[in-house]
Amino acid sequence: MRMTGNFHSDFRRLNRAGRRRPFSGFSLLEMMVSLAILTIITAAIFSQINQMQKKAQSEAVKLDLTQQAREFLDQTIRDLHMAGYPNSAMYAPPGGSGMLDYNSPLVAAGLVRVSPTEILMEGDVNTDGTVYSVDVTYLASDPNDLKCPCIRRSAARKQATAVLPAPLNQPAAPVFTDTELVMPPGAGPNQSGENLFTFFDRNGNQIDVSAGLDISTAAGQASIRQIRTVKINLSLFSVERDMITGRPVRTSMSATARLN
């Protein structure tokens, strides 16, 4: 039998197609380089995720402090706006006698005692027709409260008392609310940098209350009557530290209230 040339050519093509090609792949060096690059990229990604988690945790703590500070400022401003209401001019003289004065439980004396760390005032703060004695004061420490230094606010219905002046001799309120973990006010070391309360007259001049003023004296009454604006400077801190800086988390807020 005679084979043609075309048959031999087809046989050679089939033989070459049936051969297995040798395997090809990465060398050990290439795999080590690829693994190193992958490790670097993964470490960078996880580092960024870790930083984001730390920042989110710090921001959550700051948010809690900000909400607490805002609640204190809003409450104090509302109290100050109602200080001195109702006054003696709102009552007719009883039986032809003289007008009611601030010793009456029906009359709000307004600001009663002021200092850089305290405001004692009277007013219808609950808008229910009742005069309350409201005391907002900074407390540096309390053995029964580990969250101090703090600011305490108490409000009690004004009572008639034989000890005058009545606004300064009101019974202690049975309950109070706390604004906790307050930075010590003042400009000294480890203090917030400003007083908790600052007082100004109608022209914007600051009134000196560093020694404390109250209505027990004519001079004290005169100085307190000049107060038209109160600035509140509040700084709070947290026992938790910022996971990025390692410093305690802190927030500061300020507000001003004009007296009616």
Side-chain angles (χ1 to χ4, degrees):
M1 179 182 292
R2 186 178 179 183
M3 298 183 181
T4 64
N6 290 336
F7 177 81
H8 286 291
S9 177
D10 292 340
F11 180 79
R12 285 194 297 270
R13 283 198 299 271
L14 290 173
N15 189 32
R16 285 196 300 269
R19 293 176 184 173
R20 295 184 177 180
R21 295 181 179 178
F23 289 105
S24 61
F26 297 103
S27 67
L28 179 60
L29 178 60
E30 291 172 330
M31 294 202 51
M32 291 181 66
V33 171
S34 300
L35 182 60
I37 294 174
L38 179 61
T39 301
I40 293 172
I41 294 175
T42 303
I45 293 173
F46 277 100
S47 176
Q48 290 298 319
I49 293 174
N50 188 39
Q51 288 291 100
M52 291 175 61
Q53 289 177 335
K54 290 180 178 179
K55 186 174 181 62
Q57 183 176 353
S58 298
E59 290 301 322
V61 175
K62 287 182 180 179
L63 179 60
D64 290 340
L65 293 177
T66 300
Q67 290 177 338
Q68 185 179 187
R70 190 180 300 279
E71 289 174 2
F72 169 79
L73 293 176
D74 289 345
Q75 179 66 68
T76 305
I77 290 173
R78 286 195 297 268
D79 291 341
L80 287 167
H81 284 168
M82 297 304 294
Y85 174 85
N87 57 40
S88 59
M90 301 182 68
Y91 295 95
S97 62
M99 296 182 64
L100 298 176
D101 61 18
Y102 59 64
N103 289 310
S104 169
L106 300 176
V107 175
L111 297 182
V112 176
R113 183 171 62 233
V114 296
S115 77
T117 57
E118 182 189 16
I119 296 178
L120 176 64
M121 66 188 112
E122 290 184 349
D124 183 11
V125 294
N126 290 340
T127 62
D128 58 1
T130 302
V131 176
Y132 292 85
S133 176
V134 180
D135 190 19
V136 183
T137 184
Y138 168 77
L139 190 64
S141 62
D142 184 346
N144 299 317
D145 190 349
L146 298 179
K147 293 298 183 68
C148 282
C150 57
I151 300 172
R152 286 185 177 169
R153 175 191 181 271
S154 63
R157 184 170 182 170
K158 185 177 181 180
Q159 305 292 325
T161 175
V163 182
L164 302 180
L168 284 170
N169 293 280
Q170 292 297 304
V175 294
F176 55 82
T177 58
D178 268 358
T179 301
E180 302 171 335
L181 299 176
V182 178
M183 285 286 295
N190 300 319
Q191 293 182 317
S192 64
E194 294 182 282
N195 290 329
L196 178 60
F197 301 117
T198 311
F199 304 88
F200 302 89
D201 63 17
R202 65 175 68 252
N203 297 318
N205 300 313
Q206 184 173 339
I207 298 175
D208 183 13
V209 299
S210 57
L213 299 174
D214 62 49
I215 61 173
S216 62
T217 64
Q221 291 181 31
S223 296
I224 288 177
R225 287 197 197 100
Q226 295 178 18
I227 297 175
R228 287 294 176 267
T229 304
V230 181
K231 183 180 179 184
I232 311 164
N233 305 294
L234 180 65
S235 294
L236 303 180
F237 68 94
S238 173
V239 293
E240 299 183 35
R241 291 183 174 272
D242 190 308
M243 299 186 68
I244 297 177
T245 64
R247 299 176 180 176
V249 180
R250 174 181 170 180
T251 188
S252 299
M253 295 184 70
S254 297
T256 57
R258 289 192 61 84
L259 303 183
N260 296 325

PDB file of all heavy atoms in Angstrom, residues 48-64 240-244 249:
ATOM      1  N   GLN A  48      -5.977  51.297  59.047  1.00  0.00           N
ATOM      2  CA  GLN A  48      -6.970  52.340  58.835  1.00  0.00           C
ATOM      3  C   GLN A  48      -8.287  51.999  59.526  1.00  0.00           C
ATOM      4  O   GLN A  48      -8.934  52.865  60.118  1.00  0.00           O
ATOM      5  CB  GLN A  48      -7.197  52.540  57.329  1.00  0.00           C
ATOM      6  CG  GLN A  48      -6.024  53.169  56.597  1.00  0.00           C
ATOM      7  CD  GLN A  48      -5.709  54.561  57.100  1.00  0.00           C
ATOM      8  OE1 GLN A  48      -6.609  55.346  57.370  1.00  0.00           O
ATOM      9  NE2 GLN A  48      -4.426  54.869  57.252  1.00  0.00           N
ATOM     10  N   ILE A  49      -8.684  50.728  59.474  1.00  0.00           N
ATOM     11  CA  ILE A  49      -9.911  50.305  60.148  1.00  0.00           C
ATOM     12  C   ILE A  49      -9.785  50.509  61.655  1.00  0.00           C
ATOM     13  O   ILE A  49     -10.715  50.977  62.321  1.00  0.00           O
ATOM     14  CB  ILE A  49     -10.217  48.832  59.821  1.00  0.00           C
ATOM     15  CG1 ILE A  49     -10.569  48.683  58.338  1.00  0.00           C
ATOM     16  CG2 ILE A  49     -11.354  48.303  60.698  1.00  0.00           C
ATOM     17  CD1 ILE A  49     -10.756  47.257  57.889  1.00  0.00           C
ATOM     18  N   ASN A  50      -8.620  50.171  62.201  1.00  0.00           N
ATOM     19  CA  ASN A  50      -8.396  50.342  63.637  1.00  0.00           C
ATOM     20  C   ASN A  50      -8.458  51.808  64.038  1.00  0.00           C
ATOM     21  O   ASN A  50      -9.051  52.170  65.064  1.00  0.00           O
ATOM     22  CB  ASN A  50      -7.037  49.747  64.015  1.00  0.00           C
ATOM     23  CG  ASN A  50      -6.815  49.708  65.508  1.00  0.00           C
ATOM     24  OD1 ASN A  50      -7.729  49.432  66.281  1.00  0.00           O
ATOM     25  ND2 ASN A  50      -5.593  49.973  65.938  1.00  0.00           N
ATOM     26  N   GLN A  51      -7.866  52.692  63.227  1.00  0.00           N
ATOM     27  CA  GLN A  51      -7.914  54.121  63.505  1.00  0.00           C
ATOM     28  C   GLN A  51      -9.342  54.646  63.448  1.00  0.00           C
ATOM     29  O   GLN A  51      -9.763  55.467  64.283  1.00  0.00           O
ATOM     30  CB  GLN A  51      -7.046  54.882  62.496  1.00  0.00           C
ATOM     31  CG  GLN A  51      -5.544  54.695  62.693  1.00  0.00           C
ATOM     32  CD  GLN A  51      -5.049  55.365  63.961  1.00  0.00           C
ATOM     33  OE1 GLN A  51      -4.855  54.702  64.979  1.00  0.00           O
ATOM     34  NE2 GLN A  51      -4.869  56.662  63.904  1.00  0.00           N
ATOM     35  N   MET A  52     -10.122  54.156  62.484  1.00  0.00           N
ATOM     36  CA  MET A  52     -11.512  54.591  62.361  1.00  0.00           C
ATOM     37  C   MET A  52     -12.333  54.146  63.568  1.00  0.00           C
ATOM     38  O   MET A  52     -13.178  54.883  64.070  1.00  0.00           O
ATOM     39  CB  MET A  52     -12.114  54.048  61.067  1.00  0.00           C
ATOM     40  CG  MET A  52     -11.543  54.662  59.807  1.00  0.00           C
ATOM     41  SD  MET A  52     -12.165  53.901  58.300  1.00  0.00           S
ATOM     42  CE  MET A  52     -13.908  54.247  58.452  1.00  0.00           C
ATOM     43  N   GLN A  53     -12.078  52.932  64.053  1.00  0.00           N
ATOM     44  CA  GLN A  53     -12.794  52.441  65.225  1.00  0.00           C
ATOM     45  C   GLN A  53     -12.446  53.263  66.466  1.00  0.00           C
ATOM     46  O   GLN A  53     -13.327  53.598  67.273  1.00  0.00           O
ATOM     47  CB  GLN A  53     -12.476  50.965  65.453  1.00  0.00           C
ATOM     48  CG  GLN A  53     -13.091  50.030  64.417  1.00  0.00           C
ATOM     49  CD  GLN A  53     -12.693  48.589  64.631  1.00  0.00           C
ATOM     50  OE1 GLN A  53     -11.637  48.298  65.217  1.00  0.00           O
ATOM     51  NE2 GLN A  53     -13.521  47.671  64.164  1.00  0.00           N
ATOM     52  N   LYS A  54     -11.160  53.581  66.634  1.00  0.00           N
ATOM     53  CA  LYS A  54     -10.750  54.402  67.770  1.00  0.00           C
ATOM     54  C   LYS A  54     -11.385  55.791  67.705  1.00  0.00           C
ATOM     55  O   LYS A  54     -11.868  56.321  68.711  1.00  0.00           O
ATOM     56  CB  LYS A  54      -9.220  54.529  67.807  1.00  0.00           C
ATOM     57  CG  LYS A  54      -8.492  53.245  68.167  1.00  0.00           C
ATOM     58  CD  LYS A  54      -6.984  53.464  68.171  1.00  0.00           C
ATOM     59  CE  LYS A  54      -6.241  52.198  68.577  1.00  0.00           C
ATOM     60  NZ  LYS A  54      -4.772  52.393  68.572  1.00  0.00           N
ATOM     61  N   LYS A  55     -11.388  56.380  66.510  1.00  0.00           N
ATOM     62  CA  LYS A  55     -11.969  57.716  66.351  1.00  0.00           C
ATOM     63  C   LYS A  55     -13.467  57.677  66.623  1.00  0.00           C
ATOM     64  O   LYS A  55     -14.014  58.589  67.266  1.00  0.00           O
ATOM     65  CB  LYS A  55     -11.682  58.239  64.941  1.00  0.00           C
ATOM     66  CG  LYS A  55     -12.131  59.673  64.723  1.00  0.00           C
ATOM     67  CD  LYS A  55     -11.689  60.178  63.377  1.00  0.00           C
ATOM     68  CE  LYS A  55     -12.109  61.626  63.169  1.00  0.00           C
ATOM     69  NZ  LYS A  55     -11.492  62.526  64.147  1.00  0.00           N
ATOM     70  N   ALA A  56     -14.134  56.620  66.152  1.00  0.00           N
ATOM     71  CA  ALA A  56     -15.576  56.511  66.373  1.00  0.00           C
ATOM     72  C   ALA A  56     -15.892  56.394  67.859  1.00  0.00           C
ATOM     73  O   ALA A  56     -16.861  56.986  68.353  1.00  0.00           O
ATOM     74  CB  ALA A  56     -16.129  55.308  65.617  1.00  0.00           C
ATOM     75  N   GLN A  57     -15.060  55.639  68.587  1.00  0.00           N
ATOM     76  CA  GLN A  57     -15.279  55.493  70.026  1.00  0.00           C
ATOM     77  C   GLN A  57     -15.090  56.826  70.744  1.00  0.00           C
ATOM     78  O   GLN A  57     -15.881  57.191  71.625  1.00  0.00           O
ATOM     79  CB  GLN A  57     -14.337  54.447  70.602  1.00  0.00           C
ATOM     80  CG  GLN A  57     -14.544  54.189  72.094  1.00  0.00           C
ATOM     81  CD  GLN A  57     -13.665  53.073  72.620  1.00  0.00           C
ATOM     82  OE1 GLN A  57     -12.977  52.395  71.862  1.00  0.00           O
ATOM     83  NE2 GLN A  57     -13.683  52.870  73.920  1.00  0.00           N
ATOM     84  N   SER A  58     -14.049  57.577  70.383  1.00  0.00           N
ATOM     85  CA  SER A  58     -13.814  58.882  70.998  1.00  0.00           C
ATOM     86  C   SER A  58     -14.941  59.853  70.685  1.00  0.00           C
ATOM     87  O   SER A  58     -15.376  60.620  71.549  1.00  0.00           O
ATOM     88  CB  SER A  58     -12.474  59.459  70.516  1.00  0.00           C
ATOM     89  OG  SER A  58     -11.398  58.624  70.901  1.00  0.00           O
ATOM     90  N   GLU A  59     -15.434  59.819  69.449  1.00  0.00           N
ATOM     91  CA  GLU A  59     -16.521  60.717  69.072  1.00  0.00           C
ATOM     92  C   GLU A  59     -17.804  60.370  69.813  1.00  0.00           C
ATOM     93  O   GLU A  59     -18.589  61.255  70.153  1.00  0.00           O
ATOM     94  CB  GLU A  59     -16.757  60.649  67.553  1.00  0.00           C
ATOM     95  CG  GLU A  59     -15.637  61.265  66.720  1.00  0.00           C
ATOM     96  CD  GLU A  59     -15.419  62.721  67.038  1.00  0.00           C
ATOM     97  OE1 GLU A  59     -16.411  63.442  67.268  1.00  0.00           O
ATOM     98  OE2 GLU A  59     -14.252  63.149  67.066  1.00  0.00           O
ATOM     99  N   ALA A  60     -18.022  59.081  70.092  1.00  0.00           N
ATOM    100  CA  ALA A  60     -19.211  58.680  70.854  1.00  0.00           C
ATOM    101  C   ALA A  60     -19.152  59.229  72.276  1.00  0.00           C
ATOM    102  O   ALA A  60     -20.159  59.700  72.820  1.00  0.00           O
ATOM    103  CB  ALA A  60     -19.331  57.158  70.870  1.00  0.00           C
ATOM    104  N   VAL A  61     -17.946  59.198  72.882  1.00  0.00           N
ATOM    105  CA  VAL A  61     -17.790  59.752  74.227  1.00  0.00           C
ATOM    106  C   VAL A  61     -18.009  61.263  74.202  1.00  0.00           C
ATOM    107  O   VAL A  61     -18.684  61.831  75.071  1.00  0.00           O
ATOM    108  CB  VAL A  61     -16.395  59.413  74.794  1.00  0.00           C
ATOM    109  CG1 VAL A  61     -16.176  60.098  76.136  1.00  0.00           C
ATOM    110  CG2 VAL A  61     -16.233  57.904  74.942  1.00  0.00           C
ATOM    111  N   LYS A  62     -17.453  61.938  73.187  1.00  0.00           N
ATOM    112  CA  LYS A  62     -17.636  63.391  73.067  1.00  0.00           C
ATOM    113  C   LYS A  62     -19.110  63.743  72.873  1.00  0.00           C
ATOM    114  O   LYS A  62     -19.585  64.758  73.389  1.00  0.00           O
ATOM    115  CB  LYS A  62     -16.816  63.926  71.891  1.00  0.00           C
ATOM    116  CG  LYS A  62     -15.315  63.960  72.139  1.00  0.00           C
ATOM    117  CD  LYS A  62     -14.589  64.556  70.949  1.00  0.00           C
ATOM    118  CE  LYS A  62     -13.084  64.583  71.186  1.00  0.00           C
ATOM    119  NZ  LYS A  62     -12.348  65.140  70.019  1.00  0.00           N
ATOM    120  N   LEU A  63     -19.823  62.900  72.140  1.00  0.00           N
ATOM    121  CA  LEU A  63     -21.246  63.162  71.923  1.00  0.00           C
ATOM    122  C   LEU A  63     -22.015  63.104  73.239  1.00  0.00           C
ATOM    123  O   LEU A  63     -22.876  63.953  73.495  1.00  0.00           O
ATOM    124  CB  LEU A  63     -21.812  62.147  70.930  1.00  0.00           C
ATOM    125  CG  LEU A  63     -23.310  62.267  70.623  1.00  0.00           C
ATOM    126  CD1 LEU A  63     -23.618  63.629  70.025  1.00  0.00           C
ATOM    127  CD2 LEU A  63     -23.741  61.151  69.678  1.00  0.00           C
ATOM    128  N   ASP A  64     -21.693  62.128  74.076  1.00  0.00           N
ATOM    129  CA  ASP A  64     -22.358  62.022  75.380  1.00  0.00           C
ATOM    130  C   ASP A  64     -22.068  63.269  76.232  1.00  0.00           C
ATOM    131  O   ASP A  64     -22.970  63.816  76.883  1.00  0.00           O
ATOM    132  CB  ASP A  64     -21.893  60.766  76.112  1.00  0.00           C
ATOM    133  CG  ASP A  64     -22.404  59.498  75.454  1.00  0.00           C
ATOM    134  OD1 ASP A  64     -23.388  59.586  74.695  1.00  0.00           O
ATOM    135  OD2 ASP A  64     -21.817  58.425  75.688  1.00  0.00           O
ATOM    136  N   GLU A 240     -12.706  58.129  80.389  1.00  0.00           N
ATOM    137  CA  GLU A 240     -12.145  57.401  79.254  1.00  0.00           C
ATOM    138  C   GLU A 240     -11.177  58.298  78.501  1.00  0.00           C
ATOM    139  O   GLU A 240     -11.417  59.499  78.364  1.00  0.00           O
ATOM    140  CB  GLU A 240     -13.254  56.914  78.320  1.00  0.00           C
ATOM    141  CG  GLU A 240     -14.236  55.968  78.970  1.00  0.00           C
ATOM    142  CD  GLU A 240     -15.257  55.463  77.975  1.00  0.00           C
ATOM    143  OE1 GLU A 240     -14.889  55.265  76.808  1.00  0.00           O
ATOM    144  OE2 GLU A 240     -16.415  55.270  78.372  1.00  0.00           O
ATOM    145  N   ARG A 241     -10.114  57.688  78.002  1.00  0.00           N
ATOM    146  CA  ARG A 241      -9.108  58.449  77.270  1.00  0.00           C
ATOM    147  C   ARG A 241      -9.302  58.288  75.769  1.00  0.00           C
ATOM    148  O   ARG A 241      -9.791  57.261  75.301  1.00  0.00           O
ATOM    149  CB  ARG A 241      -7.689  58.001  77.664  1.00  0.00           C
ATOM    150  CG  ARG A 241      -7.322  58.384  79.094  1.00  0.00           C
ATOM    151  CD  ARG A 241      -5.897  57.983  79.426  1.00  0.00           C
ATOM    152  NE  ARG A 241      -5.510  58.474  80.741  1.00  0.00           N
ATOM    153  CZ  ARG A 241      -4.976  59.660  80.977  1.00  0.00           C
ATOM    154  NH1 ARG A 241      -4.735  60.477  79.953  1.00  0.00           N
ATOM    155  NH2 ARG A 241      -4.667  60.040  82.196  1.00  0.00           N
ATOM    156  N   ASP A 242      -8.895  59.317  75.049  1.00  0.00           N
ATOM    157  CA  ASP A 242      -8.913  59.248  73.598  1.00  0.00           C
ATOM    158  C   ASP A 242      -7.923  58.173  73.156  1.00  0.00           C
ATOM    159  O   ASP A 242      -6.740  58.232  73.500  1.00  0.00           O
ATOM    160  CB  ASP A 242      -8.516  60.612  73.008  1.00  0.00           C
ATOM    161  CG  ASP A 242      -8.739  60.678  71.512  1.00  0.00           C
ATOM    162  OD1 ASP A 242      -8.258  59.776  70.811  1.00  0.00           O
ATOM    163  OD2 ASP A 242      -9.381  61.635  71.053  1.00  0.00           O
ATOM    164  N   MET A 243      -8.397  57.196  72.418  1.00  0.00           N
ATOM    165  CA  MET A 243      -7.550  56.056  72.045  1.00  0.00           C
ATOM    166  C   MET A 243      -6.499  56.425  71.008  1.00  0.00           C
ATOM    167  O   MET A 243      -5.594  55.635  70.744  1.00  0.00           O
ATOM    168  CB  MET A 243      -8.417  54.905  71.530  1.00  0.00           C
ATOM    169  CG  MET A 243      -9.398  54.381  72.566  1.00  0.00           C
ATOM    170  SD  MET A 243     -10.288  52.911  72.026  1.00  0.00           S
ATOM    171  CE  MET A 243      -8.937  51.717  72.001  1.00  0.00           C
ATOM    172  N   ILE A 244      -6.609  57.611  70.424  1.00  0.00           N
ATOM    173  CA  ILE A 244      -5.605  58.054  69.453  1.00  0.00           C
ATOM    174  C   ILE A 244      -4.542  58.908  70.123  1.00  0.00           C
ATOM    175  O   ILE A 244      -3.337  58.679  69.963  1.00  0.00           O
ATOM    176  CB  ILE A 244      -6.285  58.832  68.310  1.00  0.00           C
ATOM    177  CG1 ILE A 244      -7.253  57.910  67.555  1.00  0.00           C
ATOM    178  CG2 ILE A 244      -5.226  59.388  67.344  1.00  0.00           C
ATOM    179  CD1 ILE A 244      -8.020  58.601  66.452  1.00  0.00           C
ATOM    180  N   VAL A 249     -10.811  62.546  77.212  1.00  0.00           N
ATOM    181  CA  VAL A 249     -11.760  63.195  76.306  1.00  0.00           C
ATOM    182  C   VAL A 249     -12.383  64.387  77.022  1.00  0.00           C
ATOM    183  O   VAL A 249     -12.799  64.291  78.175  1.00  0.00           O
ATOM    184  CB  VAL A 249     -12.851  62.208  75.857  1.00  0.00           C
ATOM    185  CG1 VAL A 249     -13.841  62.895  74.918  1.00  0.00           C
ATOM    186  CG2 VAL A 249     -12.220  61.004  75.163  1.00  0.00           C
TER     187      VAL A 249
END
